[in-house]
Amino acid sequence: MEYIKQGEDILLKTSDFDLDETLDCGQAFRWERQGNGSECVYRGFMLNTPLTVSAEKDYFRFRDTDESTFVNVWLPYFDLETDYSEIKRIFSEDPALSKACAYAGGIRILRQDSWEALCSFIISQNNNIPRIKGIIGRLCEMYGGFPKFEDMNGISPDDLAPLRAGFRAKYIADCVRKLNDREIVLDDIKNFPTEEIRKILMTIKGVGPKVADCAMLYGMYRIDCVPMDVWMKRVMEQFYPDGFPEFVLPYAGIAQQYLFHYMRTGT
DNA sequence: TTCCAGGCGTATC
DNA sequence: GATACGCATGGA
């Protein structure tokens, strides 16, 4: 991984990175593909930090940002300092994972903000991706950007009616209240053991095992967490009736991302 | 019209 | 602890 500045833009050379596979595989909901389809350009945000990123012949072009933001926000966000070739080499010992990596080897885990991930995946439950994006988009409209939970202090489910989030509105309200009351402090618990974080997150209404694991995997970089949704249950039944092999476990969350995408859009 | 979507709360056993 | 059912909304 190396980058250079070119005028206002930053050009990045790296491997194991595909924008479509990474930004459109159900781990983040605020990236929109631009243009006609022939060129690969995405615009989106991490909280309220904007970015336009495109894939060109030999590099990725990062626009609407600056070097300090690139280094401090986007390098970690796209997990660009992790060697995915090595992880895929480990996965290549497993037949199903090997296929999943061959199908979409440019997936990376997005290291998102813990609150943004938690909020997004509360909204995701029993929902489809276009509608998840719609609800989060309306949340951002309501607040002029992705709100801090402090901005939402005192919110009631009725206040959230314009989001058309359905039964999830009361879950968002409960989450916001617990964070504002400091009943749960994400910055503190993200250092706790995984099991303990999961237990604490699940005290929030509407947060069960799956949403908790998404919040941990995408919002706290717990790459051993495997969110078990309907698709991953199918994967496990079909390929891993006795669970993942031992050598996958430390990276099971990343394995999950390849397999989820493969099961959902491949085959 | 009915079914389903990156689940979870609740009731019941 | 396991299982069945309802849930807001909107697209297919």
Side-chain angles (χ1 to χ4, degrees):
Chain A
M1 188 277 297
E2 53 181 308
Y3 72 91
I4 58 165
K5 291 202 284 182
Q6 185 191 71
E8 298 292 301
D9 298 350
I10 289 166
L11 307 184
L12 169 80
K13 262 187 191 297
T14 189
S15 57
D16 312 301
F17 187 30
D18 182 281
L19 292 175
D20 287 322
E21 292 167 9
T22 299
L23 294 175
D24 194 25
C25 67
Q27 47 174 335
F29 306 100
R30 297 181 64 215
W31 295 93
E32 291 302 332
R33 207 176 197 284
Q34 308 291 298
N36 50 25
S38 64
E39 53 176 355
C40 184
V41 184
Y42 281 84
R43 285 178 50 78
F45 299 86
M46 200 285 297
L47 292 176
N48 291 314
T49 306
L51 178 70
T52 302
V53 57
S54 53
E56 301 187 5
K57 269 202 183 338
D58 300 315
Y59 47 80
F60 295 91
R61 180 181 297 273
F62 288 69
R63 289 189 282 152
D64 305 329
T65 189
D66 57 61
E67 184 173 9
S68 143
T69 307
F70 174 78
V71 169
N72 295 310
V73 176
W74 300 118
L75 280 187
Y77 183 87
F78 289 106
D79 203 16
L80 287 162
E81 285 161 315
T82 299
D83 184 358
Y84 278 71
S85 298
E86 174 59 15
I87 294 170
K88 285 189 285 184
R89 193 192 61 71
I90 294 168
F91 288 171
S92 69
E93 302 294 317
D94 177 85
L97 261 174
S98 186
K99 276 188 195 166
C101 291
Y103 173 70
I107 293 178
R108 287 172 168 268
I109 297 292
L110 296 172
R111 298 194 189 212
Q112 302 173 56
D113 172 75
S114 54
W115 150 243
E116 184 177 0
L118 175 59
C119 182
S120 298
F121 281 95
I122 287 173
I123 291 167
S124 79
Q125 68 172 264
N126 193 231
N127 212 343
N128 56 59
I129 290 175
R131 193 157 170 269
I132 297 165
K133 285 186 175 180
I135 293 168
I136 294 173
R138 290 188 288 277
L139 176 67
C140 292
E141 273 176 38
M142 185 184 275
Y143 285 94
F146 198 92
K148 298 175 182 161
F149 61 79
E150 292 95 333
D151 299 331
M152 300 178 72
N153 195 9
I155 204 85
S156 73
D158 285 346
D159 297 327
L160 295 172
L163 305 187
R164 305 201 297 279
F167 61 85
R168 304 164 195 84
K170 56 183 180 290
Y171 300 155
I172 299 168
D174 186 64
C175 176
V176 165
R177 188 194 62 73
K178 284 189 166 72
L179 296 180
N180 277 298
D181 290 353
R182 296 181 69 81
E183 230 173 277
I184 296 174
V185 180
L186 295 176
D187 280 337
D188 291 347
I189 67 170
K190 70 172 143 195
N191 302 310
F192 292 1
T194 299
E195 272 310 321
E196 207 165 323
I197 304 175
R198 184 182 287 117
K199 200 158 76 177
I200 293 169
L201 290 176
M202 284 175 61
T203 64
I204 301 167
K205 296 272 187 201
V207 178
K210 192 270 176 182
V211 171
D213 279 15
C214 285
M216 288 192 286
L217 174 60
Y218 305 120
M220 301 176 182
Y221 202 65
R222 295 296 171 120
I223 58 170
D224 55 330
C225 287
V226 180
M228 271 301 156
D229 73 324
V230 289
W231 294 99
M232 275 311 290
K233 282 174 187 162
R234 286 172 207 165
V235 167
M236 298 312 284
E237 269 176 38
Q238 193 170 335
F239 299 114
Y240 306 99
D242 302 318
F244 280 130
E246 199 71 28
F247 61 88
V248 170
L249 293 180
Y251 317 98
I254 299 178
Q256 172 272 152
Q257 202 60 35
Y258 290 120
L259 290 163
F260 169 80
H261 185 67
Y262 182 54
M263 184 59 95
R264 195 171 70 92
T265 67
T267 63

